Amino acid sequence: MQKDLVRLKWYACILTLLVVAAGLFAFTRIERFGEISVERINIVESNGQVRMVISNKSRSPEVMAYGKPIKPPIPGGNRPGLVFYNDEGTENGGLVFMGGKDSSGKYTATGHLSFDQYNQNQVLYLTYADENGDQNTGLHIDDWQTSPAFWQWRGDYKKAQALPNGPDKEALLKRLMEPQPGQQAYAQRVFVGKDDSKTAMVNLADRMGRTRLQLLVDSSGTAKLNFLDANGRVTYSLPQ
C-alpha cells in the first residue's frame, strides 16, 4: 500500500509538470498565420501597459494620458490606424487615414503621421488633407508651450469657449492663446509642401505663427523668395 501511494505521488507530480510545461509552451510559442482579420490589436509591455493600438474606426481608442482618458474626454471611434504611447501610457503620436464620398458626391481624404511633444500636442507631422479638391499636403513643424499639459490647456480653452460672448471671454481666450507676450501657446513654424493651387512652398514663421519667409515655385514654374513683416505684408522679393 505504501509503495502504491509513493507511485501515485510521483505520477501526480509528473502529470502536473507536464501540464505546466504544456501551458507555458502554448503561451510562449510563436504562431504563424497566413491571414487574420481583427478589429483591434493592443501592443503591450510585459506589465500590461499599452504601447501601441492598431484598430479600425469604431474601435479606435480615446485620447489617453498616464493610462487614463483625458478630461474632458476626446472619444475614439473616428481615427482608424495606429496610435502610439510613451513609457508613461500617454498618447504621443500616430498614423491615421480615411477618405470617402458623402451623399452629395463630395469627397474627403486624409493621411496623417504625427509625433507629439512630451505631454503636449503634435509638433512634427506629415499630412495629406483633401476637401473635394482643396488640398493641403506637406511636412509641418510646430511649437508648443511646455506647460500646462495639453489636456489641461485644452480643458481650460473649452471652458472659455463656453462662456457668454463679451470682453471677458475674448480676454481669457487671448490669454490662453498667448500666455506670454509675443509667444503663442502653439504655432506652426515650418511648412514644406504644396497648396491647392499646385504651388510648392517652404514657409518659415515666427513664434506667433506669422509667416516671415517664403520660398515658392508656382504651377507654371516661376520661383520667388518673399520676406514678410509681422502683418503679413511682403517687404522684399527676389526676383524683384
Side-chain angles (χ1 to χ4, degrees):
M1 180 66 71
Q2 186 66 29
K3 290 181 179 180
D4 290 339
L5 288 174
V6 172
R7 191 177 295 111
L8 286 172
K9 288 180 180 179
W10 275 106
Y11 286 157
C13 289
I14 292 171
L15 183 60
T16 300
L17 290 173
L18 289 173
V19 170
V20 171
L24 290 174
F25 179 75
F27 285 104
T28 57
R29 66 181 180 180
I30 299 175
E31 296 284 0
R32 178 170 179 166
F33 302 95
E35 181 177 339
I36 61 174
S37 296
V38 299
E39 295 185 358
R40 175 165 163 165
I41 297 174
N42 297 333
I43 308 299
V44 300
E45 297 287 0
S46 58
N47 63 359
Q49 180 177 302
V50 176
R51 294 308 301 263
M52 182 169 67
V53 173
I54 308 170
S55 75
N56 65 10
K57 186 174 183 178
S58 63
R59 298 291 301 276
S60 62
E62 297 176 296
V63 177
M64 308 284 283
Y66 298 101
K68 298 178 180 180
I70 68 170
K71 296 183 181 298
I74 301 177
N78 63 353
R79 46 180 186 161
L82 292 78
V83 179
F84 310 139
Y85 298 88
N86 68 12
D87 296 342
E88 299 171 333
T90 299
E91 183 175 322
N92 67 343
L95 170 64
V96 298
F97 40 86
M98 60 192 75
K101 290 183 178 180
D102 61 20
S103 58
S104 69
K106 294 182 179 180
Y107 71 86
T108 60
T110 301
H112 184 85
L113 171 63
S114 66
F115 300 92
D116 297 352
Q117 180 177 312
Y118 177 71
N119 281 351
Q120 297 295 336
N121 205 0
Q122 59 193 14
V123 289
L124 174 63
Y125 50 105
L126 284 167
T127 294
Y128 158 64
D130 191 341
E131 293 284 341
N132 204 50
D134 183 8
Q135 294 185 11
N136 185 282
T137 306
L139 168 69
H140 307 250
I141 299 176
D142 290 1
D143 266 341
W144 264 93
Q145 60 191 356
T146 56
S147 64
F150 166 68
W151 48 90
Q152 180 182 337
W153 179 89
R154 178 181 177 273
D156 292 340
Y157 196 84
K158 290 289 185 182
K159 290 178 182 177
Q161 285 182 312
L163 295 174
N165 292 331
D168 291 342
K169 176 180 179 178
E170 295 305 316
L172 179 55
L173 288 172
K174 186 178 188 303
R175 188 163 63 252
L176 288 168
M177 284 300 302
E178 190 179 345
Q180 298 183 42
Q183 295 185 19
Q184 291 274 77
Y186 69 93
Q188 184 175 110
R189 300 298 304 279
V190 180
F191 173 75
V192 182
K194 68 181 183 69
D195 62 13
D196 56 352
S197 69
K198 307 300 182 185
T199 296
M201 63 182 63
V202 177
N203 287 347
L204 303 181
D206 60 22
R207 291 290 298 273
M208 294 295 288
R210 298 173 297 210
T211 299
R212 304 302 295 269
L213 182 65
Q214 284 184 322
L215 175 62
L216 308 171
V217 179
D218 66 20
S219 59
S220 66
T222 301
K224 180 172 284 191
L225 180 64
N226 291 329
F227 296 84
L228 300 92
D229 63 18
N231 295 314
R233 292 190 296 263
V234 176
T235 59
Y236 185 72
S237 292
L238 290 173
Q240 291 183 314

